[in-house]
Amino acid sequence: MARSALLNVMVQAALKAGKSLSRDFGEVQNLQVSVKGPGDFVSQADLKAQKIIHDELLKARPTYGFLGEESEEIKGTDGAHRWIVDPLDGTTNFLHGIPFFSISIALERNGEIVGGVVFNPATDELYTAERGGGAFLNDRRLRVASRRVLSDCVIGCGVPHLGRGNHGKFLVELRHVMGEVAGIRRLGSAALDIAYVAAGRFDGFWEVGLSPWDMAAGILLVREAGGFVSDLDGGTDMIGNGSIICGNEHIQKALAEVVKRPIPTK
Ligand code: 2AM
Ligand code: CA
């Protein structure tokens, strides 16, 4: 598997930040029993990881823009390129000592995602994709699952929680989807959940209310693994409207139909 120089920069940044998060995750596990809890410590871990990624990426490409979850957007002098970064996706899992979280780094060129890396430091699983070059999990080429009917499928999703999202609307979506599928999973890191679709572990995934850094790398991973991605309106402005439905050609379409089914009148 040959990686471009740019993808290598992204991979190195993710691995370096991953080391830092891994160390801090060990400490978070100890802090579970403390009265104060690991909250402030996790915020610091998150900021530290973003600084590592920012410094690595900007060292390699000083003119590119940088959009990261933990800071104001930096507009680059190069108007065409922008990094889109989530240094710690799945913060709630990390905070609770649950080893399902990720670093997500995407490169956007003229509004299109051309490179994507998602790394889970707890399992050492590194997902990479370049536009036109396929998607990989470590060295293994990825392909989305080939199941054709929803009744065979395991579908991932995001669940709104206290203070976030439209709970009533989600419950309608869930009611419709759970009546059609073999299983529903909510693992808690959108970037990694979407990578699971690329890896054929999930047959599909949907979530609304996401930010660009939650999805950007994952979108490319799924496409490069032969999958389809849309927003909840059926278009492809996932980044713009914060919603995503993905899977193989058949499941993406079928899942979109079920998720968008109208609220029953009785
Ligand atoms: P985070 O861990 O970086 O916060 C879980 O459903 C997914 O939603 C995670 O990827 C989580 O990312 C993301 N998420 C949580 N709160 C969010 C918010 N207020 N806006 C956008 N995404 C959010
Ligand atoms: Ca996130």
Side-chain angles (χ1 to χ4, degrees):
M1 173 200 31
R3 286 184 190 141
S4 73
L6 266 175
L7 191 66
N8 267 324
V9 166
M10 296 162 73
V11 166
Q12 289 318 314
L15 295 179
K16 195 166 174 187
K19 272 199 189 125
S20 173
L21 283 184
S22 280
R23 268 196 306 270
D24 288 338
F25 186 63
E27 183 59 22
V28 163
Q29 289 171 304
N30 296 329
L31 287 171
Q32 295 303 327
V33 293
S34 76
V35 178
K36 198 164 148 249
D40 292 346
F41 182 81
V42 169
S43 303
Q44 290 308 312
D46 201 351
L47 288 170
K48 226 185 324 176
Q50 173 150 319
K51 182 166 179 356
I52 291 168
I53 297 166
H54 173 272
D55 291 355
E56 287 289 309
L57 297 178
L58 273 286
K59 187 171 73 188
R61 293 292 185 279
T63 60
Y64 287 13
F66 186 94
L67 175 66
E69 175 158 24
E70 302 306 323
S71 55
E72 289 288 302
E73 180 166 7
I74 301 164
K75 299 271 183 206
T77 52
D78 171 336
H81 291 94
R82 175 166 79 148
W83 303 109
I84 303 178
V85 172
D86 193 341
L88 174 53
D89 187 55
T91 318
T92 306
N93 283 342
F94 189 91
L95 183 71
H96 288 258
I98 300 169
F100 191 90
F101 54 88
S102 61
I103 291 162
S104 176
I105 303 176
L107 175 62
E108 190 185 64
R109 178 177 296 141
N110 298 317
E112 207 183 330
I113 311 297
V114 296
V117 171
V118 174
F119 179 48
N120 178 357
T123 58
D124 262 335
E125 289 189 315
L126 177 72
Y127 297 86
T128 55
E130 287 187 270
R131 200 177 128 81
F136 295 82
L137 166 49
N138 297 331
D139 288 336
R140 181 165 64 87
R141 179 92 190 235
L142 295 180
R143 185 83 205 152
V144 291
S146 57
R147 293 184 187 85
R148 286 194 169 219
V149 289
L150 276 178
S151 55
D152 291 336
C153 287
V154 169
I155 302 295
C157 66
V159 181
H161 49 79
L162 180 67
R164 183 179 166 222
N166 184 331
H167 295 200
K169 193 159 176 287
F170 172 76
L171 286 171
V172 173
E173 293 169 3
L174 182 64
R175 174 174 165 184
H176 287 145
V177 175
M178 70 188 185
E180 305 277 350
V181 303
I184 297 184
R185 299 289 181 271
R186 194 278 199 260
L187 301 186
S189 162
L192 199 51
D193 290 326
I194 298 167
Y196 268 36
V197 174
R201 293 174 175 175
F202 283 165
D203 299 283
F205 176 82
W206 95 96
E207 187 163 358
V208 305
L210 291 174
S211 300
W213 43 80
D214 300 319
M215 296 188 277
I219 290 167
L220 185 67
L221 283 164
V222 171
R223 286 180 171 156
E224 289 296 325
F228 282 64
V229 186
S230 81
D231 57 35
L232 249 72
D233 302 329
T236 52
D237 188 21
M238 290 74 70
I239 301 271
N241 74 28
S243 66
I244 182 166
I245 304 183
C246 57
N248 72 29
E249 183 181 1
H250 308 283
I251 297 306
Q252 197 277 338
K253 205 163 157 242
L255 181 61
E257 188 273 315
V258 175
V259 166
K260 291 190 292 183
R261 236 176 240 170
I263 297 172
T265 46
K266 58 175 189 157

